[in-house]
Amino acid sequence: MENIRLAARNVIKTAKLGELDTLGDSIGYGSEFISLQYLWTNVSAHLTQDTHGSVVNENLLLTRVLLKNHPQGVPLEEDDKNSARAIYTWLAQISLPSSEFATSLEANYSANGGKESGLSATLEAQQFTYTLAISCTKYLNGILSILEVTNPEEVFTTILSFTSPHDPWTTSTSVQDALEVLHSCMEPERRPKCWHILERVCESRLRPIFAKTKNPAITASGRKNLHPLPQPRFDGSLFDPETKPWKYKDVYATTVLEWILAQYSSSDINRLEIQFHFYVPPILSLIDDESSSFKYRGCSLLIKFLTPIRASESDLLKRTNLSSVFDDALTPCLLSLPTITPEDEALRLLGVAYPALLLTLKTCYHIDRDAKPGQPGKNEDAKNVYITRITTLLRENVISSFHHVSSYSPTSAIEETSSLASFPYPRLSTFFLDQLKTLIQELGIHTTKYLQEIVPVIYTTLSNPFGTAFAPLLLAGIATTQAVILNAHPRIWRYRGDLLAAICQCWINVVRDEVDMKDPEQKLQLRKVLLKLQGAVYLLKLSMQGASSTEMKGEESLNSIGMIDEDASMNNGIQALVESDEQLKELLQIDIGVDLDDDYFFK
């Protein structure tokens, strides 16, 4: 044993994290059988107060080598089992992520989910120790299952802390080892016992951590507080680190919660309905935090929480009145826009906040996932409430946010009333067009009532002469156009002039710029835009065929673009456009051989 320790001591002096898999190869082990009791006796004699020093790493490397070479499947004596449990406890204590990673944790989740490029020497040393300890736990689990530990909550909490590759204390090796251990625990024959332990982790470890963050919107049982006490205008405790140990001290708590929530499926709905009070306070605490990185994690956890509830068609949100609580918590997240919020940060947060809110509404009102547009639910009252909330989201958030991030500037000094969207944040503008398309599909035929607000957004996007600089923006605009035509076709003829003008202007701009485009990728994107424009024209023609001449009589027609008489038909109008500009022929005369399921033309 001492020879092995001496060899481990020499290796650890020059050891590097990337060499962990081969770290023990230079340590001569021999064929001598060393029991777990003897191993723990030796290790416990060399324990030190320094949990991340060379002596600790020496103990860990020694333990790793012996556990890796220990025969598996061999019945253990009771003394060996007790020693294994003691080793589990020791490994859990020295590998629980420390509060020193708090700053790096927030930085990681603020940078599009990527990991911070560099850590301090102290944090790198801790990271190395953690990786060794989790590796030891993996090998020990092969000898004596982690489920056999007397008090497994502490060990499970530590293992669960290493399940996210985005956390600064993890490495690819530690994440892989931790997930391997947990996968073995969640096997069908072990799953019930594992769920029991996870419930105890939530009760004894997670609940006290989040209990200090008070939320007046919910009761102690996790339900909506129907009689909340009035709150002071300014609450100084919001900025007190002591009220948020999950953010400044117990940094692993959110990761543990994230993995546990991801294990629920629709078949576990009974268990989730019993245990939901463990998860609601942490989710709301994260969403209400002032940091967008923790808001992002809160929204992600909410999606994981709601997914099995929706899949099982449970009425948990209605029984607990939590739908409005989640709605109220998520709505402020939708205001995270430039210039106060940087574009990258806004995209990341909004990209999860909108889906979380939509999932909340669908889960509450039992909106049928397979329903046709305009028929979102079976219950008429629930359907009407759902449509009302989606309409508010469309008008007050998506469209208004689109206009906010797409600033306007005068097109000329002479005509100052004319304006042109400059799209200083093209990715955000594209994002809001995608959300607009999604909400249009949810509204279905109800979209007809809001065409006067939706069509200007489409026109502004497609007619912009600089749109070819960012092709995804044009593609999102065309996809929204097609969604509008498909869902509001009974009334789309009223806006045929605006839509056709925008489509034609976009076609002319793309054809003009495609010739001079040198980048093959951008050229390919513009060619895709042209095909989608043809698809939009085809759909517009189909919608016009459904409009009767009596409906169109006396209404504005393509005269709005100064091309044809008011009483002219759609076909005559298109013919006039082709005659006035030959390059529109390929766009407007798309009639034959188009398949509505063809991805080339439709999106």
Side-chain angles (χ1 to χ4, degrees):
M1 176 74 81
E2 289 307 315
N3 291 333
I4 299 175
R5 175 173 291 278
L6 181 61
R9 185 176 305 162
N10 294 330
V11 169
I12 210 69
K13 292 179 181 178
T14 59
K16 295 181 181 179
L17 188 58
E19 302 171 352
L20 185 60
D21 291 335
T22 59
L23 210 54
D25 293 347
S26 57
I27 299 177
Y29 176 72
S31 58
E32 180 184 1
F33 176 79
I34 297 178
S35 68
L36 296 181
Q37 182 184 11
Y38 186 38
L39 168 62
W40 175 239
T41 300
N42 186 281
V43 169
S44 59
H46 292 82
L47 294 182
T48 175
Q49 294 294 328
D50 185 5
T51 57
H52 305 291
S54 58
V55 176
V56 174
N57 291 338
E58 175 187 312
N59 276 333
L60 287 172
L61 183 56
L62 170 70
T63 303
R64 184 178 186 274
V65 171
L66 295 180
L67 292 178
K68 185 177 181 180
N69 290 278
H70 193 282
Q72 297 185 7
V74 177
L76 298 177
E77 299 291 337
E78 192 61 32
D79 289 340
D80 284 333
K81 289 183 178 180
N82 292 333
S83 298
R85 296 182 182 113
I87 295 173
Y88 267 127
T89 302
W90 168 61
L91 293 173
Q93 291 173 349
I94 64 175
S95 57
L96 190 67
S98 73
S99 59
E100 296 177 26
F101 284 93
T103 302
S104 299
L105 177 64
E106 186 168 353
N108 283 355
Y109 280 89
S110 296
N112 292 326
K115 237 179 180 179
E116 202 176 45
S117 57
L119 295 174
S120 65
T122 302
L123 295 184
E124 284 186 346
Q126 293 187 39
Q127 191 185 61
F128 183 84
T129 301
Y130 295 160
T131 305
L132 273 175
I134 297 300
S135 181
C136 291
T137 303
K138 180 187 73 171
Y139 289 120
L140 184 56
N141 182 63
I143 301 171
L144 180 69
S145 174
I146 193 174
L147 298 174
E148 302 300 321
V149 179
T150 306
N151 296 306
E153 294 88 351
E154 182 179 13
V155 182
F156 258 82
T157 301
T158 301
I159 293 296
L160 290 169
S161 302
F162 288 83
T163 54
S164 173
H166 303 303
D167 292 333
W169 56 82
T170 64
T171 63
S172 58
T173 302
S174 61
V175 171
Q176 182 179 350
D177 290 344
L179 292 177
E180 184 177 331
V181 172
L182 293 170
H183 179 73
S184 68
C185 295
M186 292 297 284
E187 291 178 353
E189 64 275 9
R190 297 179 175 181
R191 192 177 180 89
K193 187 173 183 179
C194 187
W195 270 120
H196 180 64
I197 296 173
L198 293 177
E199 182 179 359
R200 287 157 58 187
V201 169
C202 292
E203 177 70 36
S204 63
R205 304 284 296 190
L206 294 182
R207 194 169 191 175
I209 293 175
F210 286 94
K212 295 183 179 180
T213 310
K214 303 299 181 182
N215 192 319
I218 55 175
T219 63
S221 62
R223 298 170 180 267
K224 180 178 181 178
N225 189 356
L226 299 178
H227 305 286
L229 295 175
Q231 298 297 305
R233 280 192 170 186
F234 178 77
D235 187 359
S237 65
L238 294 175
F239 303 98
D240 183 4
E242 293 298 323
T243 64
K244 297 181 179 181
W246 46 268
K247 184 176 182 180
Y248 299 104
K249 182 182 177 182
D250 303 307
V251 293
Y252 54 85
T254 306
T255 302
V256 174
L257 188 65
E258 187 175 14
W259 189 88
I260 294 176
L261 278 174
Q263 305 314 303
Y264 287 96
S265 64
S266 58
S267 61
D268 300 310
I269 188 60
N270 291 333
R271 178 179 289 108
L272 182 56
E273 289 188 354
I274 295 173
Q275 301 174 352
F276 80 94
H277 60 281
F278 292 141
Y279 310 119
V280 174
I283 290 172
L284 291 175
S285 297
L286 290 166
I287 294 177
D288 291 339
D289 189 68
E290 69 277 4
S291 169
S292 64
S293 61
F294 284 96
K295 286 181 181 292
Y296 170 85
R297 298 195 79 173
C299 293
S300 299
L301 288 176
L302 179 57
I303 291 175
K304 286 183 171 63
F305 174 71
L306 293 176
T307 298
I309 298 176
R310 172 159 164 71
S312 62
E313 298 185 352
S314 169
D315 62 346
L316 176 64
L317 292 190
K318 280 191 174 181
R319 284 188 280 112
T320 58
N321 293 309
L322 283 173
S323 177
S324 60
V325 175
F326 290 140
D327 194 334
D328 293 341
L330 289 168
T331 300
C333 296
L334 307 183
L335 302 178
S336 301
L337 301 170
T339 57
I340 295 177
T341 306
E343 183 180 18
D344 287 340
E345 195 173 312
L347 276 170
R348 180 165 168 76
L349 176 56
L350 295 175
V352 69
Y354 272 100
L357 181 53
L358 191 59
L359 181 59
T360 300
L361 298 175
K362 288 184 176 182
T363 304
C364 176
Y365 300 113
H366 296 286
I367 303 306
D368 188 0
R369 290 166 293 176
D370 300 323
K372 297 178 181 179
Q375 299 176 343
K378 299 176 183 178
N379 185 284
E380 192 65 25
D381 292 336
K383 170 184 174 181
N384 292 335
V385 176
Y386 176 76
I387 290 298
T388 300
R389 182 63 185 95
I390 291 296
T391 299
T392 303
L393 186 62
L394 174 84
R395 304 177 71 182
E396 297 184 4
N397 294 107
V398 174
I399 293 180
S400 61
S401 296
F402 174 86
H403 290 311
H404 175 78
V405 300
S406 307
S407 61
Y408 293 84
S409 59
T411 56
S412 65
I414 299 176
E415 188 180 359
E416 294 184 356
T417 57
S418 177
S419 61
L420 181 70
S422 58
F423 296 106
Y425 305 101
R427 290 182 295 154
L428 262 178
S429 298
T430 302
F431 170 81
F432 285 120
L433 285 170
D434 290 336
Q435 297 306 310
L436 180 58
K437 183 191 73 171
T438 299
L439 296 185
I440 287 171
Q441 292 170 338
E442 293 297 323
L443 287 174
I445 193 63
H446 297 279
T447 305
T448 55
K449 293 182 284 187
Y450 311 105
L451 287 175
Q452 69 274 16
E453 298 175 60
I454 296 173
V455 172
V457 171
I458 295 173
Y459 184 86
T460 298
T461 303
L462 297 185
S463 63
N464 192 281
F466 306 107
T468 54
F470 192 72
L473 178 64
L474 295 180
L475 289 170
I478 299 169
T480 304
T481 304
Q482 295 183 2
V484 167
I485 296 172
L486 288 171
N487 289 278
H489 58 86
R491 288 290 178 181
I492 206 67
W493 53 271
R494 290 176 178 266
Y495 299 91
R496 62 191 180 278
D498 293 321
L499 292 176
L500 197 56
I503 292 171
C504 290
Q505 186 60 57
C506 184
W507 177 276
I508 293 172
N509 294 337
V510 173
V511 171
R512 177 197 63 208
D513 294 345
E514 185 192 20
V515 177
D516 300 326
M517 193 67 67
K518 303 299 182 184
D519 188 347
E521 180 62 30
Q522 291 182 343
K523 201 174 185 70
L524 183 62
Q525 286 288 309
L526 292 182
R527 173 50 54 181
K528 186 177 181 181
V529 170
L530 295 177
L531 292 172
K532 303 297 183 184
L533 287 171
Q534 288 179 308
V537 170
Y538 185 78
L539 291 178
L540 188 59
K541 285 184 177 183
L542 288 180
S543 69
M544 290 302 98
Q545 293 175 7
S548 68
S549 59
T550 56
E551 287 178 321
M552 297 179 64
K553 188 175 181 179
E555 297 290 342
E556 273 191 17
S557 62
L558 294 176
N559 180 33
S560 59
I561 56 174
M563 292 296 175
I564 61 174
D565 295 333
E566 185 170 296
D567 296 330
S569 67
M570 182 69 175
N571 289 333
N572 291 338
I574 286 178
Q575 185 61 36
L577 285 170
V578 172
E579 291 174 357
S580 64
D581 195 334
E582 187 66 23
Q583 64 181 332
L584 295 176
K585 182 176 181 180
E586 185 180 355
L587 168 68
L588 300 175
Q589 294 186 349
I590 178 77
D591 289 316
I592 303 174
V594 176
D595 184 358
L596 289 177
D597 295 325
D598 194 339
D599 290 338
Y600 284 104
F601 295 100
F602 307 107
K603 184 177 181 180

